[in-house]
Amino acid sequence: MLTVYNCIVNEHDLRLVLLAAAVCAIASFSAIKLLQHVMRSHSTGQTFWLAVAATSTGFGIWATHFIAMLAFSPSIPSAYDGGFTALSLILAVLLTGVGMRAATRHGDLENRLVGGAIIGGGIAAMHFVGMAAFEIQGHITWSPPLVTLALGSGLALGAASIAVALERPSRRATAVAATLMTLAICALHFIAMAAVSITPDAAVEISSYSVDPTTLAAAVAAVSLAILCLSGAALWVDLRFRQNRLEATRMHGLANAAVEGLVICDGERVVSANDSVLELTGLDRDAIAGLSLGDLFGSSSDFDRLDQWGATMREAELKAADGTAIPVELLAREIDYCGKPHMVLAVRDVRERKKAEADIMRLAHFDPLTGLPNRRSFTAKLDAEIAAMPESEGRQVALLLLDLDRFKEVNDQFGHGAGDTMLQTVARCVSGRLRAGQMMARLGGDEFAVILPNLSDGSAAERVARSILQALREENRHRAGEGVISTSIGIALYPADAPDKTTLISYADTALYRAKADGKDTYRFFEASMGAEARDRRALEHELRQALTTGEFSLVYQPQMEISSGRMIGFEALIRWNHPRRGLLAPAQFVPIAEESGLIVPIGEWVLATACRDAVSWQQSLTVAVNVSPIQLHNPNFTQRLHEILLQTGLPPQRLELEVTETALIKDMHRALAVLRQVKALGVRLAMDDFGTGYSSLSNLRAFPFDKIKIDSSFIKSVDKNEQVAAIVRAVLGLGRGLGLPVLAEGIESSDELAFLGAEACQIGQGYFIGRPGPIGDFSTITGNAAPAAKNEADKPLRTQLA
């Protein structure tokens, strides 16, 4: 090693030796950093950076050698062969590249050691080929031991340097690896130089083509500096790019975590977008980058002033790859992206919201079942047509109100699905008969309205009404077993009939009621006389609401007689309205109004309570029959209220008989059956009223728990003279005997009728011939509440009394 020391100190220029060492250290550090960068690079960029690292390291090793050679002072003329000099550089670059490739190909230690040894071999090859380029007037001899030591140190230190550099890259590992690489280059060079012995010989001539050392020194310095600077710049640029890419990746990760779309833009140019935007548009990341905001969202002058948007949300249409436009909301914010201010656009897909808004608008203005305009749209249309109606041209607006005939029967018989189908069919048929500008609306249930604007007279409205009726009649020919469609139509005109919208609707409704009363499946125009009737009806409804609180109702009772014995068995309670101006009103005059308005429920409860209270006071255990409206029966509190009345009055349940028409059963048979069973459970008796009329069905007698059948009075009149009526009555009486149900005949008005019924074994009778309805006080001899003398008279059969 003393020989190496002597070589460095005595045969070299120490200043150039230090320069060579500095160049070697810089080259070694650059080589280690570039090699670590190669390991981190993706496969697509790894080859490029491997070439950069090999070139930079090879030039560094080469520069170190020739700067150190220039520091060598043999004191005799010398020069350098250009070919061998170039070959040494090429070998340095190639072998360094091969070694780096071997070291980075796999991540195990063996590959790193082999790669480092190859780099050490490249250092040695460069050195000895470079020494072959060294021309001097003399002869060079080598010391084999020192040459072997130089090769060993170069290979060992090179392998150790690469192993340390790639094991766990860190600042310390980089420093250690760079030091080992520097030692490998310097040790190989100076130990190999110590192995050289020069014997001067003036006879040896230096080639005229050799490169002068001074020229070589300048070239080495310039090229090495350039290569190292370029390598450093490339490394800095790549590291900067990596940093930006890492930041971009981090930003993309954060952006993709957002549910909403995010578009990053530089000015009006799109830089990037998150996955939500890519999914919305159907574009890939490369296709969307570089687009202008105008290309992505449509042309808009607002995009050049994104920084002025503030917190304002803007609506736009996002262009998808397939050309569709997606409604979105945009919100702009400024961010720092890769060290530079950018704008980010938050993109919110509002298709669902727009759809929901459209659905809300449709639900707000259109009927979901038929698709027709609803009551709100109808009102707005009617207001608009009336407001636009010219006052001086004699034009008119016709309003047609439609109400389907027997629609409830279809619902009850065929189900609500059939009812819905009927409504849709009516909407289709009627709409098909209307012209542009005319509107059909569904007001609710089975009620429709048609607005006919800008008519010259009422004849046009009449033609439309006839066309509607004809369309429904034609539709019925194609229907099978789903119920017949028909409608009643009321027509009113503005301004001929009514001065405003409210009156117009009221008059059309009045005309509709007249059409219903005149047989249905027809139309009627409003007439002034109808208005008087409607006003009278509304007045009566208003007065009916006050009648219950002012005590204007009273009960009268009609006796019921056992025909075979002539013995009184009970009474039917009948309500009367003692109107302060109209006098005594029968049920037919106000009960329909009470049912339509819902007042029948409190009125019916009053009748039940009063009848039970009166019956409790009778000395005789007679029954009391009370009619129950269908609306009462289907009231959810009916059974509970009936029970409370029985408890409050103390009337035994078996003395109370409720008369129910079959109409009440058809409305909701399952509910009606449940209610009647609850009534029977209380001990109250049930009678089927008006049997033989309306919707009479033998199955109802079997399904429902009735205790009695009442034959309607229409079958009793002249039963003794009309054979057809007599046959019907006999059939009903036979049916009652077969079912074990007593039969009560209503409306007996003559002795012949009573005699016929007695001969046919009818059990119970009721009618004017037996007794007219009156206050219960008129029947005190029957109830047992009369004086003793009168009581003896009451014990006689009723027929005897009547005689």
Side-chain angles (χ1 to χ4, degrees):
M1 294 307 295
L2 186 60
T3 302
V4 176
Y5 174 78
N6 290 333
C7 173
I8 297 174
V9 174
N10 298 322
E11 297 177 8
H12 287 73
D13 185 340
L14 290 178
R15 291 172 298 178
L16 291 177
V17 169
L18 293 176
L19 176 61
V23 171
C24 181
I26 294 172
S28 298
F29 179 79
S30 176
I32 298 302
K33 291 298 292 183
L34 287 170
L35 186 60
Q36 292 173 342
H37 190 65
V38 169
M39 286 292 292
R40 291 192 298 266
S41 299
H42 297 288
S43 57
T44 53
Q46 199 172 50
T47 302
F48 169 77
W49 284 106
L50 191 63
V52 172
T55 302
S56 175
T57 305
F59 268 89
I61 296 170
W62 183 77
T64 300
H65 170 77
F66 280 98
I67 292 173
M69 288 298 296
L70 292 173
F72 181 58
S73 304
S75 302
I76 55 177
S78 61
Y80 293 90
D81 181 83
F84 280 108
T85 301
L87 179 61
S88 66
L89 175 60
I90 293 171
L91 287 174
V93 173
L94 288 179
L95 291 174
T96 300
V98 172
M100 288 183 171
R101 176 61 176 160
T104 57
R105 187 170 186 177
H106 299 288
D108 53 9
L109 178 61
E110 289 78 5
N111 280 275
R112 292 195 289 270
L113 291 175
V114 171
I118 293 174
I119 293 173
I123 297 171
M126 185 281 307
H127 177 82
F128 288 108
V129 172
M131 286 300 295
F134 184 55
E135 295 182 358
I136 194 169
Q137 285 185 335
H139 302 281
I140 299 176
T141 58
W142 296 88
S143 170
L146 289 176
V147 170
T148 302
L149 179 61
L151 288 171
S153 63
L155 293 175
L157 290 172
S161 172
I162 300 304
V164 171
L166 300 183
E167 177 65 26
R168 288 184 180 177
S170 63
R171 289 185 179 181
R172 181 179 179 183
T174 301
V176 173
T179 301
L180 290 174
M181 180 65 74
T182 302
L183 289 176
I185 298 171
C186 292
L188 189 144
H189 176 85
F190 289 108
I191 293 174
M193 288 302 294
V196 173
S197 297
I198 300 175
T199 304
D201 185 353
V204 177
E205 295 184 359
I206 298 175
S207 173
S208 60
Y209 296 102
S210 297
V211 180
D212 180 68
T214 304
T215 303
L216 181 62
V220 168
V223 172
S224 299
L225 181 61
I227 293 297
L228 290 174
C229 288
L230 288 175
S231 298
L235 181 61
W236 181 84
V237 170
D238 187 65
L239 290 174
R240 181 67 178 174
F241 173 76
R242 281 179 172 275
Q243 181 181 358
N244 289 342
R245 189 164 63 183
L246 286 173
E247 183 176 355
T249 302
R250 181 178 64 84
M251 291 292 289
H252 279 301
L254 292 173
N256 288 331
V259 176
E260 293 183 344
L262 295 175
V263 176
I264 299 174
C265 50
D266 185 5
E268 289 190 55
R269 183 180 62 85
V270 176
V271 175
S272 182
N274 70 347
D275 291 346
S276 295
V277 173
L278 301 182
E279 184 178 348
L280 275 177
T281 60
L283 299 171
D284 57 35
R285 201 174 302 279
D286 294 333
I288 204 169
L291 292 176
S292 70
L293 293 177
D295 295 332
L296 195 58
F297 296 102
S299 58
S300 174
S301 58
D302 287 341
F303 288 128
D304 58 359
R305 299 190 300 272
L306 288 177
D307 55 340
Q308 300 178 15
W309 281 20
T312 304
M313 297 288 292
R314 306 292 179 95
E315 289 195 358
E317 289 186 342
L318 180 65
K319 293 182 178 178
D322 59 2
T324 58
I326 302 171
V328 294
E329 279 185 343
L330 303 178
L331 181 64
R333 287 287 186 273
E334 184 175 337
I335 62 168
D336 181 75
Y337 182 74
C338 298
K340 181 182 175 182
H342 285 70
M343 296 299 294
V344 62
L345 276 178
V347 182
R348 179 180 299 166
D349 183 1
V350 295
R351 283 179 295 184
E352 288 299 323
R353 195 193 74 188
K354 293 286 186 182
K355 181 178 179 298
E357 289 175 352
D359 290 342
I360 291 172
M361 288 295 293
R362 186 166 58 254
L363 290 173
H365 296 280
F366 291 88
D367 173 55
L369 177 63
T370 62
L372 295 175
N374 60 10
R375 185 180 291 273
R376 175 181 293 182
S377 298
F378 160 76
T379 302
K381 171 75 171 175
L382 190 58
D383 284 336
E385 294 297 344
I386 289 177
M389 181 60 55
E391 297 180 0
S392 59
E393 297 183 9
R395 312 300 291 180
Q396 300 186 71
V397 175
L399 174 62
L400 281 64
L401 292 185
L402 288 70
D403 188 89
L404 302 188
D405 303 325
R406 295 176 293 277
F407 176 71
K408 292 183 180 180
E409 297 176 30
V410 173
N411 261 342
D412 295 336
Q413 186 173 357
F414 300 104
H416 291 288
D420 291 346
T421 302
M422 177 178 284
L423 294 174
Q424 292 168 339
T425 302
V426 170
R428 173 176 53 81
C429 292
V430 176
S431 297
R433 298 298 178 108
L434 302 182
R435 299 177 182 176
Q438 299 174 344
M439 186 183 85
M440 180 184 188
R442 183 186 178 198
L443 304 183
D446 61 335
E447 299 177 4
F448 297 88
V450 174
I451 299 174
L452 306 176
N454 199 30
L455 301 181
S456 58
D457 53 43
S459 60
E462 184 175 13
R463 287 193 296 271
V464 172
R466 288 178 177 176
S467 177
I468 290 172
L469 296 176
Q470 183 61 31
L472 297 182
R473 290 165 188 159
E474 292 175 1
E475 180 65 26
N476 286 328
R477 288 200 290 268
H478 305 294
R479 295 173 64 85
E482 296 179 358
V484 176
I485 304 176
S486 69
T487 185
S488 301
I489 304 175
I491 309 172
L493 302 175
Y494 171 88
D497 294 329
D500 53 55
K501 178 191 72 176
T502 302
T503 308
L504 180 67
I505 295 173
S506 175
Y507 285 177
D509 190 56
T510 300
L512 172 62
Y513 274 106
R514 174 56 61 87
K516 288 278 189 185
D518 288 351
K520 305 178 181 179
D521 192 27
T522 188
Y523 66 90
R524 290 291 182 269
F525 279 88
F526 172 78
E527 299 174 359
S529 59
M530 297 180 187
E533 292 176 7
R535 286 192 297 274
D536 184 66
R537 185 183 182 90
R538 286 194 294 270
L540 197 63
E541 179 181 339
H542 176 73
E543 294 165 351
L544 190 61
R545 295 180 182 277
Q546 309 297 323
L548 195 60
T549 57
T550 55
E552 295 176 10
F553 291 114
S554 62
L555 292 184
V556 295
Y557 294 86
Q558 187 171 28
Q560 296 175 341
M561 181 186 73
E562 186 177 65
I563 296 177
S564 60
S565 64
R567 180 173 58 87
M568 175 63 65
I569 61 173
F571 293 92
E572 180 180 4
L574 302 171
I575 188 172
R576 296 291 186 268
W577 182 6
N578 301 300
H579 196 280
R581 291 186 296 103
R582 303 171 189 259
L584 191 64
L585 300 181
Q589 295 175 272
F590 63 87
V591 167
I593 299 175
E595 289 182 329
E596 291 176 10
S597 62
L599 294 172
I600 194 65
V601 174
I603 293 174
E605 287 185 5
W606 179 86
V607 171
L608 268 174
T610 304
C612 291
R613 192 179 305 111
D614 288 346
V616 168
S617 65
W618 303 339
Q619 298 297 319
Q620 301 294 329
S621 296
L622 305 172
T623 61
V624 60
V626 178
N627 288 280
V628 176
S629 164
I631 297 174
Q632 277 183 274
L633 189 66
H634 291 280
N635 187 295
N637 299 322
F638 175 73
T639 307
Q640 178 183 351
R641 185 67 186 124
L642 175 61
H643 189 205
E644 292 174 355
I645 290 172
L646 290 173
L647 292 176
Q648 292 169 359
T649 60
L651 180 70
Q654 63 272 16
R655 290 183 57 192
L656 176 63
E657 183 175 272
L658 299 184
E659 297 183 358
V660 181
T661 63
E662 286 188 279
T663 304
L665 309 181
I666 290 176
K667 183 178 181 182
D668 188 343
M669 297 189 68
H670 295 291
R671 179 169 180 79
L673 179 58
V675 172
L676 294 184
R677 285 175 176 172
Q678 293 172 0
V679 170
K680 285 289 291 182
L682 294 176
V684 176
R685 298 171 59 81
L686 294 171
M688 178 180 284
D689 197 12
D690 298 337
F691 185 79
T693 63
Y695 309 103
S696 293
S697 171
L698 299 181
S699 62
N700 290 335
L701 290 175
R702 179 176 58 85
F704 291 92
F706 288 108
D707 301 294
K708 183 185 295 182
I709 301 173
K710 293 187 70 174
I711 305 177
D712 188 71
S713 59
S714 61
F715 296 104
I716 304 303
K717 187 175 182 180
S718 301
V719 68
D720 56 316
K721 299 179 180 65
N722 190 318
E723 285 301 323
Q724 291 181 334
V725 172
I728 293 174
V729 172
R730 289 191 187 101
V732 176
L733 292 172
L735 180 65
R737 285 192 295 272
L739 294 175
L741 297 177
V743 178
L744 184 151
E746 292 185 293
I748 301 173
E749 297 184 356
S750 69
S751 59
D752 292 336
E753 293 171 355
L754 181 62
F756 174 87
L757 293 170
E760 296 295 332
C762 178
Q763 292 92 334
I764 307 168
Q766 176 181 339
Y768 282 5
F769 182 72
I770 295 173
R772 290 178 176 273
I776 194 61
D778 294 350
F779 303 102
S780 59
T781 56
I782 299 174
T783 61
N785 294 357
K791 282 187 179 182
N792 293 333
E793 190 69 19
D795 291 336
K796 298 179 182 179
L798 184 59
R799 279 181 296 180
T800 305
Q801 296 180 41
L802 293 173

